[in-house]
Amino acid sequence: MAVAGAGIGCAMSAVVVPERLPGAPADRQSIGAWGMMLFIATEAAFFCQLLFSYFYLASIAPGAWPPDGAPQLGLVLPNTGLLLLSSGTMWWAERGIRQGKAWQLRSGLLFTFILGAMFLGIQVVEYRHQHFTPASHAYGSLFFTITGIHGLHVALGLVMNLYVQLLAWRRHVTPARHLAVSNVAWYWHFVDLVWIVVFTGLYLAPNLR
Amino acid sequence: MRLGSNRFRSPSVAILPFITACAQAPSFMRPAGQFGEREAWLGWVLLGISSVVVVVIAVLVLAAALRPRAGSPDLIRPAPGETTWITVGGAIIPALILAAAFVYSVVTTSAITSSQPPAAISILVTGHQWWWEVNYPGLQPAQSIATANEIHIPAGVPVRIELRSADVIHSFWIPQLAGKTDVIPGHPNLAWIQADTPGVYRGMCAEYCGSQHGNMGLIVVADSPDRFRVWRESQLASAVQPTDPDQAIGRAVFEHSPCVGCHTIRGTPALGKAGPDLTHLASRQQLAAGAAPNTRGFLAGWIADPQGIKPGNHMPRVPLTAQQLQGVLAYLESLY
Amino acid sequence: MANPPVDAATLARLERLWETPRGLRGILTTVDHKIIGKRYLITAFLFLIAGGLEAFVMRLQLSRPGEHLLSPDQYNQLFTMHGVTMIFLYAAPILSGFGNYLWPLAVGTRDMAFPRLNALSYWIFLFAGLFLYSSFLLGQAPNAGWFNYVPLAGAGFNPGLNIDFYVLGITFLGISTTVGAVNFIVTLLKLRAPGMSITRLPILVWGTLSTSFAVIFAMPALTVACIMLYLDRRVGSHFFDAAKGGSPLLWQHLFWIFGHPWVYIIVLPGISMASEILQTFTRRPLVGYSVLVGATIATTVLGFGVWVHHMFATGLPPLATTFFSAVSMTIALPSAVSVFAWIATIWHGKPVFRVPFLFVLGFIILFVIGGVSGVATAAVPYDWQLTDTYFVVAHLHYVLIGINVFPVIAAAYYWFPKMTGRMMSERLGRWNFWVMFLGFNLGFFPMHIAGLLGMPRRIYSYAPGMGWDLVNLVTTIGAGLFAVGILLFLINLVYSRRRGEPAGDNPWDAASLEWATGSPAPVYGFARIPHVESRVPLWEDRLSGIPGIRYELPPLDQDHETVGTSPLEGRLQAVLHMPSDSWWPLLLAVSMATATAGLLISLWTVSILGALGILGSVAGWLWPAPGSVAP
């Protein structure tokens, strides 16, 4: 019913109208995909402003920045690896449904979920080990806000992951039509990309100086 | 359409109040020193260009709309050459005008910043809600001057003002002497002023800073070099001793009242820093950052009910009997 | 060739498919872009009146020196809420209102790309506006100015709820704006009538298209700033605290990185509407269409590069201020080019002096005055004298009233027939125009002079003997006259709704697609989606002999359908199945409002309840409807 019936044979000569009008595409051309891309664009701008704030305050800091020395890399390096791996499993899951392998989709989503949840757990452990709090100084406020808001985005991605798993379980996802999977995958890759930038700016850069 | 023009029948009658206003107002259109003058010249040029542009465009719009047309078809077809206007009138001419304005603006900025000699007299001004703390730092406390809401400068030389904030963002502005410089906590700023002729120049806070932002004025008194020296000498002295019984009573009342928690009178036990220094209060022209003139009547009103004159300000009401108030007034009025 | 013959059975089917059910359920669940558009318009006009009343009371207080009508605290809340109301609750939503109702029709489709998201954006706007105004009931309306500088807006100097209302209300409202921008972008790029390539897009929608991208990139700066301020106030963080490594200037940067693009967002769609109206009343296609489109895009992009001009007095290094001064002057160029495009169009056209055209002429003049006063403030040393004075107040009102309000009133007169099927009174309209134009200039031109005479902004009163008495009195009188003009407009609206002359489909004989369907527009928009051959579809056959509009597609009356096309060429790509009435947008908006209220009063249970509501509503919203094919 989403595909209009045939019968456009009476088209006027100057215009080419296909015999069967196609139903809404489910790929990058679809309006659902556009919606997700624009949402990602605004979130990207959001993180840009957070990072701008960090680098602005760093540039005018009278003393050392970070004030308590560069952040430890012991936990965050492997944690970053976990998150990057989860992008891999998400890509693998999407590839699965494109090739018609529902099991690959579901196990890929599950692995992604587990890796993402581990990332958040390790981040909580890292928070506990910090010697400063958001109320210690501006750096502390920025550190916890930037990584915390990123963590909220990861958590949201996990909720979306569960939702898609539910859709898949109820057979609303097919090889031809799986926009929900693609959208969630793009979002997840975006969240990972943000983490790479946050990791480089907040963790790596101070350690390289 | 005569836009913004006065609508009175008799133009001269209308202009008279305007001229009076100009004479009274703290307006940079009557600059009194090189910084203000450079900014005013830039302003006049830009105003002139703006007025010409507005008139020319208005004439063009009206001419385009009202010009006589022979009977034309109902819908007019686009024709070649119609966009020439746009390129010439819309892009080239404005670009030239804007470029010229920009260059003049940069030249003015550069002239202003190059007139700021390092070895100039330097004054520290701290913005508070809602008054201006003024300090002339010396190498020792005995060589430093502290006053409030009134700055004395020698006429004819650039003076450097260091600006700090004790609380929120304020903005230091003496229109006839220079443009504004914001006063931002954590970001000390420098302002430069110069008055070529001796006189009194009004200023005010120019960044919304809370309920009494509108009553945070200050004045700059430009003196000849001799008078400035005399003023300096007198300000360096400690507070005068009371010379009659009323003043003595007043000083005693003052020293035993909560007033000493906020105010300093040098040479007495009053060492409070939260409010203005009162050592030479009587030498100042205004009270409460311009909220009232410095007369006995207004001083009485101010002490008896600060919230009445400046609602929301931080000075509390200190209950005094009539006799105590008379004494305090006599004392404070003696503090030249 | 308008309204091709479609048989009665098809029309009946279309009506049944697209109409909103009557009654409360219909009111709360509708996704009809025309109903949502009208709601936006009415609500935004109500906020205009509220903001106007706030201004009027302020003008009474300032009409003479030393007035005691208002206490300083009351005045400060009023001037803050006047700014917040006009800039956030009137100026953008009014443009969304026109956009929602008209843009789908103007590009030849039947609804916005995301109908339920459209409903959501209205509900959030309404709830956020009510949230902000509820602060008055507590006597704690925001009071640190519409740009809310710290530290004055921090917990130390503003311990009450005033600023919390501000940060939460503005952030909540920002969701509506962002979601609306996404909707406009996808609608305007993907849902056009086949054949409407990007160069055939009516000038009307270019402002919205361009500024919707600006919203996507600018709004987050404000959200970040508000989150940081909320945390500073409630959690003891130090983003803006100079003593602990923060900076009050960080707020200013973030705010103006949002704020400057925002002021273009609230005027560029107005400019585009004015261009469209100009085209109709000069009886010819616009001269310099490409130039006008280019100017719109250039202004939008450059608008991201000027924000520091709000901070010239903060003591930034001269290199920075010089750069931003240069860009601020450059941004005048696209505007100058546009003015000459309009002059050329009028010159080479045949003006028809109906009321909408009068308002467009007034708009051009006010635009130029506002523009030159803006260029004045772009010169850094001059700005050091002008900033934070009434000169800037004059400038901002010339640009906001000149480039938003005047085009909006023009648009109201112009599209009232399309929305209601009736014409507004032409006679009352002329009175409306002259009273508004003269009142506005009488009120606001003297403010330039007040600024030059040294009167700073945001003062609740002034002493006699400052030389400011006359200009303030004249301004108050002018403002009163301007208010009478607005009243005339409202009277005309109400009167014409009932007694206006019936309008046909195209009473102005205009060129764009929305005039190819009935007045008021039928619930299904177009009985048959047209195929478009020209930038001026309804004029093309008279201009060149080629029909500008053809009907080839079937009526698409089997379901809630419209077509999707490619973004640049407008090539037909698909039939799109649109969602119909739904409870989810309202439920989601209510959940968001609950969460916001919880954050205001620091009751975490309320916020968590709201958050759960949000998750549940979104889950329900996105779940595929039974029987439909999943996306």
Side-chain angles (χ1 to χ4, degrees), chain A residues 86-163:
Chain A
S86 74
S87 252
T89 52
M90 179 61 97
W91 171 83
W92 184 69
E94 197 194 351
R95 189 149 170 258
I97 189 61
R98 255 188 283 127
Q99 293 171 343
K101 302 178 199 153
W103 64 268
Q104 187 170 323
L105 169 70
R106 290 159 70 170
S107 45
L109 285 174
L110 184 63
F111 291 144
T112 307
F113 184 93
I114 292 170
L115 289 167
M118 285 173 69
F119 174 86
L120 285 182
I122 295 177
Q123 192 167 49
V124 169
V125 171
E126 192 208 349
Y127 277 5
R128 289 227 168 97
H129 280 112
Q130 293 293 6
H131 296 298
F132 55 86
T133 69
S136 304
H137 36 53
Y139 172 82
S141 310
L142 277 166
F143 175 86
F144 281 103
T145 305
I146 296 177
T147 56
I149 289 184
H150 175 265
L152 282 175
H153 280 73
V154 172
L156 180 61
L158 295 182
V159 170
M160 291 159 88
N161 182 313
L162 288 178
Y163 191 75

Side-chain angles (χ1 to χ4, degrees), chain B residues 165-176:
Chain B
S165 169
D167 39 41
V168 299
I169 297 181
H170 303 275
S171 191
F172 178 80
W173 190 33
I174 321 288
Q176 291 174 280

Side-chain angles (χ1 to χ4, degrees), chain C residues 8 11 26 40 188 257 274 322 327 330 353 391 451 518 544 569 611:
Chain C
L11 283 179
Y40 258 107
L188 293 174
I257 288 173
T322 308
V327 185
T330 309
F353 289 91
F391 189 93
S544 67
E569 293 161 38

